[in-house]
């Protein structure tokens, strides 16, 4: 089983900023989200391994499991380039439209959704064998999680524009004959 857990809240999240690769700590509420989510998941499942993005907010959320954490760069958040740290509302509408219309669009200093999707799908493909026999928790970010959900559903990264994931939300993917099956989407504990 593959359990995807979005990191807890940060000050930038609370302020409505695009965070991307900004490397911020969880805020007090985010720490509580991480603690409670880990507690519930450990109570419900026999977690065999925890993997996390290298960014602090994901590492701090993963640490709440009190288990060794493997870091995998492929689960890092989308690079928003010059829009990192900018309020969502201040990103020009033509930029949002470009991202939505063209998965290969790259903002200045950033990354395309197509590039993110390629790396996340590679990580998902690499984890199938383990997740068929073990319960693996991956602590990541909104864009990589949406990509992984798209992978499980057999859709493209365009799914990103048609779904929402809260902070510390959980998506659960099981496997039948090595085929991913989405069981849970956007479950929150806190």
């Amino acid at each position: 089983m593959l359990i995807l857990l979005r990191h807890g809240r940060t000050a930038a999240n609370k302020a409505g900023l695009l965070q991307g690769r900004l490397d911020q700590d969880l805020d007090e509420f985010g720490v509580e989200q991480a603690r409670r989510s880990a507690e519930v998941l450990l109570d419900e499942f026999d977690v065999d391994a925890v993997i996390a993005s290298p960014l602090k907010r994901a590492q701090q959320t993963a640490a709440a499991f009190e288990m060794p954490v493997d870091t995998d760069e492929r689960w890092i958040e989308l690079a928003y380039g010059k829009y990192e740290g900018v309020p969502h509302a201040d990103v020009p509408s033509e930029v949002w439209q470009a991202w939505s219309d063209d998965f290969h669009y790259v903002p200045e200093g950033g990354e395309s959704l197509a590039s993110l999707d390629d790396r996340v799908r590679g990580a998902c493909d690499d984890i199938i064998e383990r997740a068929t026999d073990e319960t693996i928790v991956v602590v990541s970010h909104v864009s990589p999680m949406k990509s992984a959900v798209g992978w499980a559903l057999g859709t493209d990264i365009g799914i990103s524009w048609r779904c929402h994931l809260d902070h510390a939300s959980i998506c659960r993917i099981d496997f039948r004959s090595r085929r991913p099956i989405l069981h849970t989407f956007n479950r929150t504990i806190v």
Side-chain angles (χ1 to χ4, degrees):
M1 174 184 327
L2 175 58
I3 298 172
L4 304 170
L5 173 61
R6 187 177 177 197
H7 63 81
R9 191 180 76 180
T10 67
N13 294 138
K14 183 178 181 183
L17 307 179
L18 275 181
Q19 198 163 200
R21 303 279 176 90
L22 295 178
D23 204 8
Q24 295 196 337
D25 293 315
L26 298 176
D27 66 13
E28 188 175 318
F29 183 65
V31 170
E32 178 62 12
Q33 288 177 310
R35 186 190 69 73
R36 286 285 297 130
S37 296
E39 179 181 82
V40 168
L41 288 172
L42 288 168
D43 185 54
E44 292 180 3
F45 303 102
D46 292 325
V47 175
D48 295 295
V50 178
I51 299 169
S53 152
L55 296 177
K56 284 191 260 187
R57 59 194 184 265
Q59 291 286 320
Q60 291 167 353
T61 301
F65 286 85
E66 298 181 352
M67 297 173 62
V69 176
D70 293 326
T71 300
D72 188 335
E73 296 274 342
R74 296 176 294 181
W75 291 101
I76 198 168
E77 179 59 291
L78 182 72
Y80 294 109
K82 71 179 192 174
Y83 297 107
E84 291 187 1
V86 173
H88 289 259
D90 291 352
V91 175
S93 61
E94 59 270 13
V95 171
W96 289 117
Q97 193 64 49
W99 259 319
S100 177
D101 291 346
D102 180 7
F103 303 151
H104 295 280
Y105 168 75
V106 180
E108 183 181 324
E111 174 185 26
S112 71
L113 283 171
S115 175
L116 173 135
D117 197 43
D118 285 345
R119 65 179 161 82
V120 170
R121 286 172 187 261
C124 290
D125 288 340
D126 289 349
I127 210 167
I128 289 173
E129 287 298 324
R130 280 184 74 190
T132 299
D133 298 322
E134 300 177 26
T135 299
I136 312 294
V137 173
V138 174
V139 181
S140 189
H141 311 270
V142 68
S143 297
M145 285 180 60
K146 288 179 177 181
S147 173
V149 167
W151 169 81
L153 295 175
T155 65
D156 63 32
I157 192 64
I159 195 173
S160 294
W161 304 106
R162 297 181 177 270
C163 59
H164 171 82
L165 289 169
D166 293 310
H167 297 106
S169 63
I170 299 162
C171 297
R172 183 169 62 96
I173 299 170
D174 283 333
F175 295 89
R176 290 189 195 133
S177 302
R178 296 178 41 89
R179 292 189 61 186
I181 307 292
L182 182 66
H183 274 264
T184 305
F185 181 82
N186 200 38
R187 175 186 176 200
T188 55
I189 308 301
V190 179

